[in-house]
Amino acid sequence: MKRQASEALFEKAVKLIPGGVNSPVRSCKSVGGRPLFINGAKGAEIVDADGNSYIDYIGSWGPMIVGHNHPQVLAGVEAALSRGMSFGAPTDLEVELAEMVVAAVPSIEMVRMVNSGTEATMSAVRLARGVTGRDVIVKFDGCYHGHADTLLVSAGSGVATQGIPGSPGIPADVIKNTLSLPYNDAKAVTRLFAERGHTIAAVIVEPVVGNMGLVTPAAGFLETLRQETRQHGSLLIFDEVMSGFRVAYGGAQERFGIMPDITCLGKVIGGGMPVGAYGAGKDIMRHIAPEGDIYQAGTLSGNPVAMAAGIACLKLLQQPGVYDELENMSRILITGLKRVADEAGIPVQVDCCGAMLGMFFSDQPVTDFKSAKKSDLDRFAAYYRGMLERGIFLAPSQFEAFFISTAHTRVDIDKTLDAAKAVMAGL
Ligand code: PLP
């Protein structure tokens, strides 16, 4: 495949932008390559600056669940654009999206829009601390909740890919109140609450983890979080920035029937525009300024163009059968991947949850960050490069999930499996 245009852009970019990328996960360092520069995308297809076309399983890291450039999303955006880009005053579109989110997500009665997932989790933590009057936050190793100081401890996603333990620049004082436990370890949670429950403001968790690769919650894990937090007067925060509207319309809380106190959203609710949100019951949300005294604000929050993209995206997801079909396609894909890996004698662990999928090059079940890290990273890198050469666009890290959209067809899945078969034969 030709790569000259991407290479030339990268040469220029590295001189102007750290690492040539505006988010470290876009770097292909860990898989021994350079990022492709993208020219455009439509449906499940993405095209690079050299005109090479790929089946896209990154989906802009989650938002593009109805595929790229969906005509209805475009129409919504264009209609909003024609009215103006930002007013710094409320619009009908914010109310409409808020109404859709409240109707969809079981635990949310009120919602505040922000501009990214990071803002959502950062604000949710402030809210939890403000409401409880406590400081300690409990998270889980390998979960990524954005790059706010408090939460950048034993994190997944790009932090795991780059092998960074935390980040310089975060004062020890700031993270002394952040405790991280192994994901799926209900006993560790119970032990910690027995010792320090009265100091814990909140537990924040990816109810379905996408940021150490896909790891689903073990039976009883989310229930334990709910029980311990409730018993000790702490709040439970579900970070559904990735799982929201992706593992089910109402997110992981609908799928697993667990009601958190606070929910963080992002990605899908912006339909590809920069959006995040956090929501909770009215009793909690009424603490937020200007109704309450916990401060959080944003110049572009609730931006009308972003709201319009989110509204159009959610409307498409409301059509009957959408999530059954997504789940069905996910299952066909992971079953096929397991089959071609078995045929090639390569041990893999596959799983899916709604439209989130994962494959680890490991011979052991992956249930937490420790077991995820036992994967064969060299083999993943070779697989990634081989798949790219055959027109399959995957996240350039073993510690990321991959995503399908309503635009992916059986033909796309078959092409992907043919590519995987050819690549695995050579691994
Ligand atoms: N929370 C989760 C679960 C995420 O997956 C991400 C990003 O991937 C974030 C928070 C941060 O969102 P953003 O990158 O929009 O700041």
Side-chain angles (χ1 to χ4, degrees), residues 23 61 115-119 121 143-147 157 206 208 210-211 239-243 264 266-267 275-276 400:
S23 185
W61 300 86
N115 303 288
S116 67
T118 295
E119 271 187 69
T121 55
C143 286
Y144 177 69
H145 303 293
H147 62 91
S157 188
E206 283 183 75
V208 176
N211 285 298
D239 178 353
E240 299 229 42
V241 167
M242 195 183 278
S243 59
C264 302
K267 301 194 191 266
V275 178
E400 300 285 356

